[in-house]
Amino acid sequence: MLKSTNPTSLLLRIPKLASSVFAGPPSEKTGTASPSKESSSRMSTESVSASTDTSSSIPPPTTQPLLFPTHRKKNPSHQYHPQHHAEGAPRKHTPRMMAFPLGYKEAAHQWWTSLSSRQAEQNVLSFIPHVREATGPSVGARLLDLANTDPFGQRVWRSSMVQLSGKNRALNEFSIEREGEDVDNTLVMLHGYGAGLGFFYKNFEPLTRLPGWKLYALDMLGMGNSSRPPFKVHAKTQKEKIAEAESWFIDALEEWRKIRKLEKFTLMGHSMGGYLAVSYALKYPGHLNKLILVSPVGIPEDPWAVNADMPEPETSTMAAEFTQDQESIVHQTPAGQNAEYVNAKASDKESVASQPNTSTTPPKRPLPGWLVWLWDANVSPFSIVRFAGPLGPRFVSGWTARRFNHLPSPEKQALHDYSYALFRQRGSGEYALPYLLAPGAYARSPVINRIQDVGRQVISPKTETTPEVQEHGFPIVFMYGENDWMDVAGGYAAQEKIKKRIEKELLEEGGAEKENGSVKVVVVRKAGHHLYVDNPEEFNEVVRRELKETMMVNQRRRN
């Protein structure tokens, strides 16, 4: 599955690979261009000269550099020329985004004076409205202050490291609770690959408006600001390697659950966090009230991904993660099956969902050669940031500028700083990726082959004195963006498998009284793969409805 890598070869290829990873190939649809002086074909030479030229001119460490420098010269090619248009009518021209918006000097300055990952996280969390950090001279004074500033109750947030067993194992935890209220329900949020809990900053406040809820957001082990122990897989067979890689993350989650003494909770995971949420539900049954999978990775089955003797997949829509311009995603007219589902009449949604493999499915794209090479060599994109030194922030700006360009400038800057602070840290959990997914985000153990068993596991086996205790399903929600590069057809297929399992359970004796399972697919408008930040208003409203539903169900059970 994985190939060994010659370190010398890797070092020689880093500049070119970094150019591809964080800038991506030019695309007319995304509004990006191939800058003449910043093309990947010349990056190796420029990297060496830039590193030399800026070493003696680094500004004093006073402020962080701007992601979009204001002193950049205008490109003459961006000027309007009437002769370029047949009718000669004046036309407003929007300049294309540069591959790497952060200049060499600004990049070197950020590398030299970069914020700590903790401070970068705090800067992002500072954009959360109303909710205050749990500090103050006294409880009474804090509650009075909260009562005057928070329109949705007296909410406070806390950030802490939760120590786990073993050496260098701890989870970074962010929580919000309502002071003076009993906690009746709990929401736990998991981020995607290589990300961190700070990317949910637009969701924390809206999702904690409901009384009786406590929210936890976690950095997965080896990612974000959690501890980063060495990642090693000792198994021999592919099946065992997959199980060991999954357990590396979900065993830590289960240990954290026990420390926090949570018996039941709602689990929400984005992208790889969604994939691991499914793995957690199967290995540690009996603890979930609801599972919310936000653009989960690894659902569809691909024959190349699950067979180690076959070549790796060569096509995927995953390339869009590096090439799509988020501003265009938020504002463009949707296309593909995700949009067809959104625009379908209520009476037609079932037929759309039951036929996932239609001509409207978003087409796959050839995978860049650099991506397959990196994947096979188990070299993460973050390794390039670490090896690049002073050029690291510049490479990261190629991704952050596209991913967050629809946000206000202060938030874009804070998210860029946060991303770089995370990406440059010691490699750890990121190295699990090729054990779980093949190139193109195809799972080696596809979720579609396991999803029908989620919520159906034996909690405790039968003994001589006690009967068997088994799960009888719980609600599962799939969420996608209408411009998502993650094909919603996988969610549709999973929905059908879960429905068939529910129908089977209902036919058994007493099934109608025991059955608690349900499934739905939700598509959020004006959003892509990162729907929680693309259209947070609609995303938060959908999740709040799910939380209200869970709260009502739990109240009925208690009564």
Side-chain angles (χ1 to χ4, degrees):
M1 184 193 306
L2 302 178
K3 301 176 182 178
S4 60
T5 306
N6 186 318
T8 303
S9 173
L10 173 61
L11 289 172
L12 292 174
R13 300 182 67 171
I14 281 174
K16 185 175 180 180
L17 290 170
S19 174
S20 301
V21 170
F22 295 104
S27 171
E28 289 296 325
K29 291 184 179 181
T30 61
T32 60
S34 179
S36 60
K37 290 187 178 181
E38 301 183 31
S39 65
S40 59
S41 62
R42 299 179 59 184
M43 183 55 64
S44 179
T45 303
E46 291 188 5
S47 298
V48 175
S49 62
S51 179
T52 303
D53 295 343
T54 60
S55 61
S56 60
S57 59
I58 297 175
T62 54
T63 59
Q64 287 294 299
L66 293 176
L67 180 57
F68 300 95
T70 56
H71 65 270
R72 187 187 304 132
K73 295 180 180 180
K74 294 183 179 179
N75 190 333
S77 65
H78 289 165
Q79 302 300 318
Y80 167 71
H81 298 284
Q83 63 269 26
H84 291 175
H85 309 287
E87 299 179 0
R91 179 180 301 177
K92 183 179 180 180
H93 184 83
T94 303
R96 294 176 177 176
M97 181 181 296
M98 297 180 66
F100 301 108
L102 197 64
Y104 291 119
K105 289 185 178 180
E106 291 85 355
H109 177 55
Q110 182 175 6
W111 172 77
W112 184 260
T113 65
S114 59
L115 299 171
S116 69
S117 59
R118 282 287 170 192
Q119 184 59 55
E121 179 184 277
Q122 291 290 318
N123 289 349
V124 173
L125 297 178
S126 69
F127 290 101
I128 302 174
H130 308 310
V131 187
R132 300 293 185 87
E133 187 174 4
T135 58
S138 67
V139 175
R142 186 166 69 247
L143 292 180
L144 180 61
D145 179 53
L146 289 171
N148 294 330
T149 59
D150 191 342
F152 299 100
Q154 300 170 347
R155 295 173 293 176
V156 295
W157 65 266
R158 293 178 173 86
S159 182
S160 60
M161 288 289 287
V162 181
Q163 295 297 322
L164 307 179
S165 62
K167 183 179 179 181
N168 193 27
R169 295 180 72 247
L171 295 187
N172 183 38
E173 171 195 279
F174 174 84
S175 65
I176 297 179
E177 61 182 318
R178 308 173 70 87
E179 293 280 355
E181 295 183 11
D182 293 332
V183 177
D184 299 319
N185 298 278
T186 304
L187 171 66
V188 178
M189 303 172 69
L190 302 178
H191 58 78
Y193 171 71
L197 60 86
F199 291 116
F200 291 124
Y201 76 104
K202 284 186 174 290
N203 316 117
F204 292 143
E205 188 277 323
L207 296 184
T208 55
R209 294 176 183 177
L210 297 175
W213 279 86
K214 183 171 184 177
L215 177 148
Y216 288 102
L218 302 175
D219 282 340
M220 290 188 286
L221 185 64
M223 295 184 185
N225 276 325
S226 288
S227 65
R228 294 178 173 243
F231 175 82
K232 296 180 181 178
V233 168
H234 304 284
K236 301 300 181 183
T237 68
Q238 178 163 323
K239 183 177 180 180
E240 292 172 341
K241 289 179 180 178
I242 295 170
E244 187 176 346
E246 291 179 352
S247 295
W248 199 81
F249 297 103
I250 63 178
D251 288 355
L253 176 60
E254 172 64 4
E255 188 175 352
W256 170 86
R257 179 197 69 80
K258 293 178 179 178
I259 292 173
R260 289 297 179 229
K261 299 179 180 179
L262 299 178
E263 186 58 34
K264 288 269 193 175
F265 60 97
T266 295
L267 181 58
M268 181 173 76
H270 171 251
S271 198
M272 179 173 277
Y275 172 94
L276 292 172
V278 171
S279 301
Y280 174 83
L282 290 170
K283 185 173 182 179
Y284 296 106
H287 301 297
L288 297 187
N289 288 319
K290 178 173 286 187
L291 189 59
I292 303 176
L293 305 176
V294 182
S295 193
V297 74
I299 289 185
E301 181 175 21
D302 187 288
W304 284 265
V306 300
N307 192 330
D309 297 327
M310 298 180 69
E312 300 283 29
E314 296 180 352
T315 59
S316 172
T317 56
M318 185 185 180
E321 177 67 16
F322 304 102
T323 61
Q324 280 186 331
D325 180 280
Q326 208 72 358
E327 189 170 22
S328 66
I329 291 174
V330 173
H331 297 105
Q332 74 182 16
T333 301
Q337 186 172 351
N338 300 25
E340 181 180 351
Y341 182 83
V342 171
N343 297 322
K345 297 179 181 178
S347 58
D348 297 333
K349 290 187 184 293
E350 288 296 324
S351 61
V352 174
S354 63
Q355 300 178 16
N357 297 317
T358 66
S359 60
T360 59
T361 299
K364 292 183 178 181
R365 305 169 185 169
L367 283 174
W370 56 263
L371 178 58
V372 176
W373 185 87
L374 286 173
W375 213 296
D376 286 343
N378 199 10
V379 177
S380 77
F382 314 116
S383 299
I384 298 173
V385 176
R386 292 188 285 269
F387 280 127
L391 292 182
R394 178 172 165 82
F395 293 150
V396 173
S397 74
W399 180 78
T400 58
R402 286 177 174 80
R403 188 56 57 217
F404 306 121
N405 62 0
H406 64 297
L407 298 172
S409 293
E411 296 180 37
K412 284 188 289 190
Q413 185 65 48
L415 289 168
H416 167 76
D417 295 339
Y418 179 56
S419 300
Y420 175 62
L422 297 185
F423 295 171
R424 72 181 299 190
Q425 291 191 55
R426 174 183 176 179
S428 179
E430 67 200 60
Y431 297 127
L433 184 68
Y435 293 97
L436 302 178
L437 307 177
Y442 297 111
R444 301 192 187 278
S445 179
V447 172
I448 192 63
N449 296 334
R450 302 182 280 166
I451 194 66
Q452 72 278 1
D453 297 324
V454 172
R456 310 288 172 180
Q457 302 298 301
V458 174
I459 300 173
S460 58
K462 180 180 179 180
T463 66
E464 295 181 356
T465 58
T466 59
E468 178 184 83
V469 179
Q470 183 175 356
E471 295 178 305
H472 295 283
F474 51 73
I476 302 175
V477 181
F478 294 87
M479 298 182 68
Y480 295 86
E482 65 178 347
N483 295 309
D484 207 326
W485 62 263
M486 198 70 71
D487 192 354
V488 73
Y492 296 154
Q495 181 186 52
E496 291 303 303
K497 294 198 72 171
I498 295 171
K499 284 184 176 180
K500 290 180 180 178
R501 181 60 183 266
I502 292 175
E503 293 172 358
K504 177 182 176 182
E505 297 292 333
L506 290 174
L507 293 175
E508 295 185 357
E509 184 178 353
E513 291 77 22
K514 298 178 181 178
E515 183 58 38
N516 298 314
S518 67
V519 60
K520 67 179 69 171
V521 177
V522 179
V523 180
V524 174
R525 302 171 189 270
K526 301 297 182 183
H529 181 57
H530 302 269
L531 54 161
Y532 55 93
V533 73
D534 293 341
N535 188 350
E537 291 80 11
E538 186 169 330
F539 174 86
N540 293 332
E541 181 57 34
V542 170
V543 176
R544 273 201 305 267
R545 287 201 301 266
E546 295 301 324
L547 298 183
K548 287 180 181 178
E549 180 184 272
T550 300
M551 184 169 56
M552 294 172 59
V553 170
N554 289 340
Q555 286 176 346
R556 287 197 298 266
R557 289 174 180 171
R558 284 193 293 266
N559 296 334

